[in-house]
Amino acid sequence: MGVVESPGAPATRSDAAYWFGPSFLLEESKLRPPSSRPGTVHRTAVLERLRAAPDVPVISVAAPPGYGKSALLSQWIEETPRRVAWVSIEPEDNDPAVLLAYIAAALDRVQPIDVDVLRTRAPPGTSVAATVARRVAATMSGMVDPVALVLDHTELLHNHQCRDAIAELAVHLPSAGQLVVASRGEPPVPLARLRTLGAVLEIGVEELAMGETEARQLLTGTGLDLADTELAELVGDTEGWPVGLYLASLALKAGSPRSADRFAFSGDDRLMADYLRTELLSRVPRGRVSFLTRTSVLERLCGPLCDAVVNGTRSGRLLEALEGSNLLLVPLDRRREWYRYHKLFQQLLRAELGQREREVVPELHARAATWCEANGLPEMAITHAQAAGDADQVARLVTAYAQPAYAGGRHETVDRWFQWFDDQGLIDRYPSVAVMGAVLRAVMGQPAAAERWATIAERASAEATLPDASTMASWQAQLRAFLCRRGLAQMRRDAQVAAEGLAPGSPWRTSALAMEAVSWLLDGEPERADPILARAVEVGRDTGAAPVVAVALAERGVVAIERGDWDDAESLAGEAGAVLRDGHLDDYGPGVIVHALVARTAAHVGDVSRARESLGQAARLRPQLTYAVPFLAVQTLLELGRAYLALADAPGARVVLREAGAILRLRPDLGRLPDEVAELRSTLDTLQVGAVGASSLTAAELRLVPLLSTHLSFREIGERLHVSRHTVKTQAISIYRKLGVSSRSEAIDRVVKIGLLA
Amino acid sequence: MSHGCVPDDTIDEHGLDERAAALAWLAVLVALRASPASYRACVQRALAAGASVDDVVDTLKAVAPSVGLARVVAAAPGLALALGYDIDRALETLDMPAAGAGAGPTGGDGDGHRRGAGTADTADDVDSP
Amino acid sequence: MKAEHEDLLRKLALNEEGVLASLLGVDLADAEPAVLDVKTAALVRLAGVIALESAPATYQWSVTRALAAGASDGEVVAVLEALAPVVGSVRVSSAAPEVALAIGCDLDLPGDR
């Protein structure tokens, strides 16, 4: 099955590790289109419509469950001349990094793709949505044969950035490329706009409802033969709803007499459930029913997993038998090891389970979680443990897997894992989760959440131990060091305590070392800082702490500049940049200092365009620099200010110094940083004001820039950024003026030209 | 007397022709930071009296040094709208890539009624007042 | 309407310096410090903008210039305070959100009018 082998095995193209780091699990089954099964009704009429529009860029298949969307698509892909890349969306795809990985893997199956195209550094100023869309479009256009990208079950995508990415892709497809989006509800593509362009073909309920001919085929396939009038009645009652027809046919075959109210089908789930219960499940041997309902808690089923969940022994055989006799269990791979239930059927089974044995459900999830964890599927284990309400297990798994996932770039996923504890009101009970969550939130630039979690984490007993054998005391010290609420000297002490108490193999030890070093640097003792930084780099490389390694290298670069060794600084800048690139750490907030260093060394040798490009990258990430990790934020902003100064851009320098000043007001005790910021400011005062241009864009405006390049209206942008439309409009006007343009398109062009957007 | 526009008796009493009176009134509206509705009435009157669009814009330009940039900037959107140019919309619209001639309507949420592909939908209004 | 008129009106609505400077016959950019230094001159202009009930675009322009000339957030806010007795509290309280937005506090402003 599609599980990554042990972390020791080298990554191949079919491994997730190739795309996203060792802790990411690529579920192969999501990339396999459902095969067109013999005996399924051939949707001739709809296929004819699709055939008539062979080159339409976007195909939208939107209908409620049970209309045969996936079946239609599996028939369509058999006859389309294009190569097909398929992704079945799951809830985990609500993370742009994950979604992109799956699309990439799907495209790779069609034709090996150029990983570099897909993995180019996110250009400065780009929104996540635009980045994903551009990369996918670029990859598709680079393929020899025309490709259709199919996304099934897009109703499961709620993350704004993911939906926006699909929408952007729909509008920017390469010629001969095609995007097919299947959804239960409204598909995540801008239909009105696409309709105006004649760029979409919509298949909906009207097209997918079965007519009498197709209904007859369906019923014949189940061995049922009806008179014309009876058939017409049935089709009318079910409104051509394929699943309704199917279940009705099962009932008729089982011989239940028809009565007027039996077949009053609509899409209403409750009617379906009642029907299923009385007509279908009541005729199935009790043991088998129990198997069906109990295993319905699983998104994916395999023999051993089902055995674990139902405490049985021959689930594998049973699954095979069920699959052969029934259209509602779907195999996910050729070897018939993994299956899933038809989604509608699963919902009904779950409802049934809830009715019959509600109290058993948590136990079932617990068993599933245990099995998943034991068999190398930690993320599935987390989902089941959450459903089981086994917070202990969830806590254990999250604290074990949060750092690798974060280091692999999956911030949204990690955020969700911690958010679960918040939603359940459980942070108090799990100090290890509290303290790790506080640290991660601080590093991810969420100061309010970090403070809240930190308060709880600090109340925990220092005697406790964390799963990785680190002491709670050391973790609390680490957290205190990051937040630096009581000044630099205290931060140093905290970092030292943390370094001593953290488990030797823990990647977090690198952060502790780095923080101690930075405290010396900011106190004016670079020669004490440097060796500790060097050690941090070594330790970090051994323990998979790539993000911190990049920062530590950049700090060494800052030290080098201080002693006047610009050559050394430049090579360190290059090294740090490579670590960020290789680790795919484009959105890593603390990494901004790397860009600052690159900008300074580039400016020093007169490479203005490279300096500007780095400053643009930094600008995109600057909103993540908050008072949560104040010493790093202020130091980074100071270095950015020096870079702007080197480019004689006083307004740009002023903007970053203002941001630094805002943080210093909250955290004034940061060694020599306040003085250095003041000094730089007074240097600026001696310069001419200069043109107020693009470098004067404030953090708030920088947050807006990427969204301007999308098709969203000002009001929709306001919803994304949680501000009013008036605010968006006012800020947009300010952006246009600073860029020297007078329209939105011109603004985008200008931003591209100066390197704030790809 | 029409609300917010040139009083009817101006023409006879002061010897200005209707066109010049309307343009003079326009200048007053700029100086007084009038509402868009006032501009609409006044511009209509001016155009009806034979003023050209050039004349209206020139009036704004001419009055600028006297009233200063704050007033001119505040007047621009309302005046433009009175002349049929929606600046708000122009600043929000992103020209669509590779459309047919002329940029289509954008700025809507994408909610349209279901129709066949190819017919132009009226995009939803950008925001409701 | 001719494109040049559209351009002019649109740029005016943006408080675009080039077109305003040519209309007013004045150089708006670096007022070479004659008697007042650049920062003070910018803050004085800001006071005028506040007193005159200006458009948001004018507020943004004026505050940005003041900040670029070295004014701090505190100094910008102080202008509001200094003006209050002269222009009245009503003027100041309707100006305050626009100034805040220009400094960079994302206050949610009421209404879309």
Side-chain angles (χ1 to χ4, degrees):
Chain A
M1 192 252 121
V3 178
V4 171
E5 288 131 65
S6 66
T12 65
R13 290 187 78 97
S14 65
D15 284 346
Y18 180 78
W19 300 106
F20 247 104
S23 67
F24 183 72
L25 302 159
L26 192 85
E27 304 270 11
E28 301 257 331
S29 50
K30 283 170 60 169
L31 303 175
R32 236 178 290 276
S35 45
S36 178
R37 306 152 60 91
T40 333
V41 173
H42 200 72
R43 308 306 307 269
T44 318
V46 190
L47 288 170
E48 185 55 53
R49 282 199 65 161
L50 287 165
R51 234 175 270 133
D55 293 318
V56 68
V58 179
I59 297 175
S60 156
V61 181
Y67 272 89
K69 299 184 286 293
S70 304
L72 167 70
L73 288 177
S74 61
Q75 289 170 9
W76 173 75
I77 64 184
E78 274 172 11
E79 46 170 76
T80 179
R82 286 186 174 76
R83 310 285 305 278
V84 171
W86 180 287
V87 181
S88 287
I89 304 286
E90 300 270 334
E92 65 175 341
D93 296 315
N94 277 295
D95 176 340
V98 176
L99 180 63
L100 180 61
Y102 276 107
I103 294 180
L107 290 171
D108 187 63
R109 265 137 214 267
V110 170
Q111 175 193 319
I113 67 180
D114 183 357
V115 181
D116 288 334
V117 166
L118 215 52
R119 283 264 142 245
T120 44
R121 234 173 345 163
T126 332
S127 71
V128 174
T131 310
V132 171
R134 276 172 233 276
R135 284 175 179 175
V136 175
T139 306
M140 284 172 76
S141 70
M143 300 191 130
V144 172
D145 304 319
V147 170
L149 174 65
V150 181
L151 302 175
D152 199 6
H153 299 303
T154 56
E155 71 274 358
L156 294 174
L157 276 183
H158 351 274
N159 177 275
H160 272 311
Q161 290 171 324
C162 292
R163 290 185 74 90
D164 289 348
I166 306 299
E168 284 302 309
L169 179 62
V171 183
H172 290 104
L173 283 167
S175 59
Q178 217 170 33
L179 175 68
V180 181
V181 174
S183 172
R184 275 193 191 174
E186 173 109 22
V189 293
L191 284 175
R193 196 169 164 196
L194 291 171
R195 283 175 199 146
T196 324
L197 293 170
V200 63
L201 174 61
E202 295 177 70
I203 310 283
V205 166
E206 284 168 28
E207 292 80 11
L208 285 171
M210 283 189 167
E212 282 170 39
T213 322
E214 288 175 329
R216 184 174 286 289
Q217 279 180 39
L218 176 69
L219 296 180
T220 310
T222 65
L224 193 68
D225 198 15
L226 288 182
D228 283 352
T229 43
E230 285 185 311
L231 178 70
E233 235 179 83
L234 186 58
V235 171
D237 287 340
T238 58
E239 297 176 72
W241 188 30
V243 161
L245 282 167
Y246 175 72
L247 288 171
S249 79
L250 292 181
L252 287 173
K253 272 183 63 188
S256 59
R258 285 203 52 195
S259 58
D261 54 2
R262 280 288 170 81
F263 295 95
F265 283 103
S266 59
D268 185 331
D269 277 338
R270 204 162 64 77
L271 289 177
M272 282 284 296
D274 285 345
Y275 175 73
L276 185 74
R277 200 172 293 123
T278 56
E279 297 299 329
L280 199 61
L281 290 182
S282 63
R283 294 169 202 281
V284 166
R286 188 173 297 168
R288 201 167 282 201
V289 170
S290 167
F291 178 87
L292 290 173
T293 54
R294 287 184 168 196
T295 55
S296 71
V297 301
L298 302 168
E299 291 299 325
R300 289 188 185 82
L301 299 76
C302 71
L305 174 53
C306 290
D307 280 338
V309 169
V310 306
N311 259 343
T313 48
R314 287 195 311 253
S315 305
R317 293 261 185 83
L318 190 48
L319 287 173
E320 277 179 34
L322 281 173
E323 192 250 320
S325 70
N326 179 325
L327 284 174
L328 296 178
L329 185 65
V330 181
L332 295 175
D333 61 358
R334 224 154 281 148
R335 281 178 302 172
R336 294 288 191 277
E337 272 182 28
W338 284 85
Y339 301 84
R340 65 166 178 84
Y341 286 114
H342 185 284
K343 293 232 179 298
L344 190 69
F345 192 41
Q346 183 194 35
Q347 282 170 0
L348 297 170
L349 286 175
R350 281 184 173 174
E352 184 60 24
L353 179 67
Q355 279 236 352
R356 291 179 179 220
E357 306 185 277
R358 173 171 301 258
E359 67 286 354
V360 149
V361 173
E363 170 62 23
L364 298 174
H365 279 294
R367 293 178 191 164
T370 308
W371 188 93
C372 286
E373 191 187 349
N375 285 272
L377 297 168
E379 300 195 20
M380 264 176 81
I382 289 178
T383 313
H384 281 299
Q386 284 173 345
D390 185 353
D392 287 348
Q393 193 180 19
V394 181
R396 194 163 39 77
L397 290 165
V398 167
T399 49
Y401 290 96
Q403 196 273 340
Y406 174 70
R410 310 242 301 298
H411 302 173
E412 301 272 322
T413 309
V414 171
D415 204 46
R416 270 204 300 274
W417 288 346
F418 283 108
Q419 190 59 38
W420 182 80
F421 284 90
D422 212 350
D423 294 338
Q424 304 282 317
L426 287 173
I427 318 178
D428 284 320
R429 235 186 313 146
Y430 294 97
S432 55
V433 171
V435 78
M436 194 180 286
V439 167
L440 277 168
R441 274 164 153 72
V443 172
M444 291 198 281
Q446 300 172 17
E451 290 281 322
R452 195 159 52 86
W453 284 60
T455 313
I456 298 170
E458 278 164 3
R459 290 201 292 256
S461 150
E463 304 302 314
T465 319
L466 266 78
D468 69 345
S470 310
T471 62
M472 175 60 73
S474 65
W475 265 94
Q476 286 167 326
Q478 171 100 314
L479 175 61
R480 281 197 301 274
F482 271 112
L483 297 177
C484 193
R485 280 181 288 199
R486 271 179 257 129
L488 215 56
Q490 181 60 40
M491 173 199 149
R492 179 179 310 132
R493 283 192 286 273
D494 286 327
Q496 285 164 338
V497 168
E500 271 164 45
L502 287 170
S506 165
W508 295 102
R509 238 181 116 238
T510 314
S511 312
L513 289 170
M515 285 197 284
E516 185 195 338
V518 170
S519 78
W520 290 117
L521 179 58
L522 298 181
D523 246 352
E525 299 197 50
E527 65 296 331
R528 286 184 85 155
D530 207 31
I532 307 179
L533 285 170
R535 189 149 42 97
V537 170
E538 241 183 81
V539 170
R541 288 204 157 118
D542 286 338
T543 54
V548 186
V549 167
V551 173
L553 285 167
E555 296 282 4
R556 293 201 70 196
V558 170
V559 169
I561 292 182
E562 242 177 82
R563 58 168 193 270
D565 190 345
W566 285 89
D567 289 333
D568 204 16
E570 194 174 339
S571 82
L572 284 163
E575 237 187 296
V579 172
L580 285 184
R581 269 192 305 279
D582 294 341
H584 311 309
L585 293 165
D586 300 332
D587 290 328
Y588 180 58
V592 180
I593 190 163
V594 175
H595 300 302
L597 181 67
V598 171
R600 285 195 72 188
T601 54
H604 185 78
V605 297
D607 188 348
V608 173
S609 64
R610 186 136 179 273
R612 283 267 167 219
E613 197 217 323
S614 291
L615 287 172
Q617 296 254 357
R620 184 174 65 89
L621 297 172
R622 248 167 48 211
Q624 287 193 47
L625 295 177
T626 65
Y627 68 90
V629 187
F631 54 91
L632 186 62
V634 176
Q635 187 197 14
T636 305
L637 291 164
L638 177 65
E639 294 298 322
L640 287 172
R642 290 181 169 146
Y644 277 115
L645 184 60
L647 295 176
D649 183 346
R654 282 202 196 281
V655 169
V656 290
L657 287 185
R658 276 185 66 223
E659 290 170 21
I663 298 175
L664 282 172
R665 271 197 290 278
L666 294 169
R667 301 278 186 266
D669 184 354
L670 292 178
R672 53 179 198 172
L673 279 176
D675 285 343
E676 295 194 335
V677 167
E679 200 185 305
L680 189 59
R681 207 178 272 127
S682 57
T683 309
L684 291 174
D685 284 337
T686 66
L687 299 178
Q688 279 228 318
V689 171
V692 172
S695 56
S696 296
L697 291 172
T698 65
E701 290 160 356
L702 287 169
R703 248 178 257 126
L704 183 56
V705 164
L707 291 170
L708 286 180
S709 74
T710 67
H711 65 284
L712 299 169
S713 69
F714 282 175
R715 179 163 54 83
E716 288 166 326
I717 294 178
E719 284 163 19
R720 301 282 188 281
L721 296 176
H722 307 295
V723 295
S724 70
R725 185 190 173 272
H726 173 93
T727 302
V728 173
K729 179 178 151 204
T730 308
Q731 286 176 338
I733 287 179
S734 177
I735 292 171
Y736 298 172
R737 191 179 51 251
K738 287 179 181 174
L739 293 175
V741 302
S742 63
S743 79
R744 191 167 169 176
S745 323
E746 278 179 4
I748 302 311
D749 284 345
R750 184 104 195 94
V751 150
V752 168
K753 216 171 279 176
I754 64 178
L756 215 60
L757 196 72
Chain B
M1 172 156 146
S2 30
H3 176 68
C5 194
V6 185
D8 286 330
D9 51 3
T10 310
I11 301 146
D12 299 326
E13 272 193 29
H14 300 280
L16 288 176
D17 66 29
E18 186 161 338
R19 173 180 161 279
L23 292 176
W25 197 251
L26 181 64
V28 171
L29 293 183
V30 173
L32 294 180
R33 202 176 195 257
S35 68
S38 308
Y39 284 114
R40 191 164 45 241
C42 186
V43 165
Q44 273 169 19
R45 186 101 180 207
L47 296 176
S52 66
V53 172
D54 280 355
D55 290 335
V56 172
V57 176
D58 281 345
T59 304
L60 181 66
K61 291 159 86 169
V63 91
S66 314
V67 299
L69 66 84
R71 288 284 178 264
V72 170
V73 170
L79 184 65
L81 199 58
L83 290 169
Y85 178 47
D86 186 344
I87 289 185
D88 260 12
R89 180 149 240 174
L91 290 177
E92 179 159 358
T93 301
L94 191 63
D95 293 337
M96 303 205 292
T106 56
D109 339 19
D111 295 332
H113 336 288
R114 278 213 62 193
R115 296 196 202 145
T119 40
D121 275 357
T122 48
D124 272 358
D125 219 34
V126 166
D127 64 320
S128 44
Chain C
M1 193 189 303
K2 280 191 278 200
E4 57 176 281
H5 289 324
E6 285 186 358
D7 274 356
L8 172 70
L9 289 170
R10 200 172 62 246
K11 286 180 176 166
L12 285 178
L14 294 181
N15 207 119
E16 197 263 329
E17 282 186 11
V19 83
L20 281 171
S22 74
L23 280 195
L24 298 170
V26 181
D27 181 13
L28 284 175
D30 290 336
E32 263 304 316
V35 178
L36 294 178
D37 63 272
V38 179
K39 180 171 84 168
T40 309
L43 290 173
V44 167
R45 281 186 175 167
L46 174 60
V49 167
I50 295 171
L52 277 177
E53 200 182 343
S54 310
T58 307
Y59 274 100
Q60 292 276 322
W61 167 79
S62 182
V63 170
T64 301
R65 295 248 90 198
L67 296 174
S72 68
D73 290 1
E75 284 169 330
V76 168
V77 173
V79 169
L80 273 172
E81 290 165 12
L83 267 188
V86 175
V87 304
S89 58
V90 171
R91 190 83 283 284
V92 165
S93 41
S94 62
E98 298 290 347
V99 172
L101 183 53
I103 303 179
C105 316
D106 287 348
L107 292 181
D108 216 354
L109 295 171
D112 285 341
R113 314 210 186 273

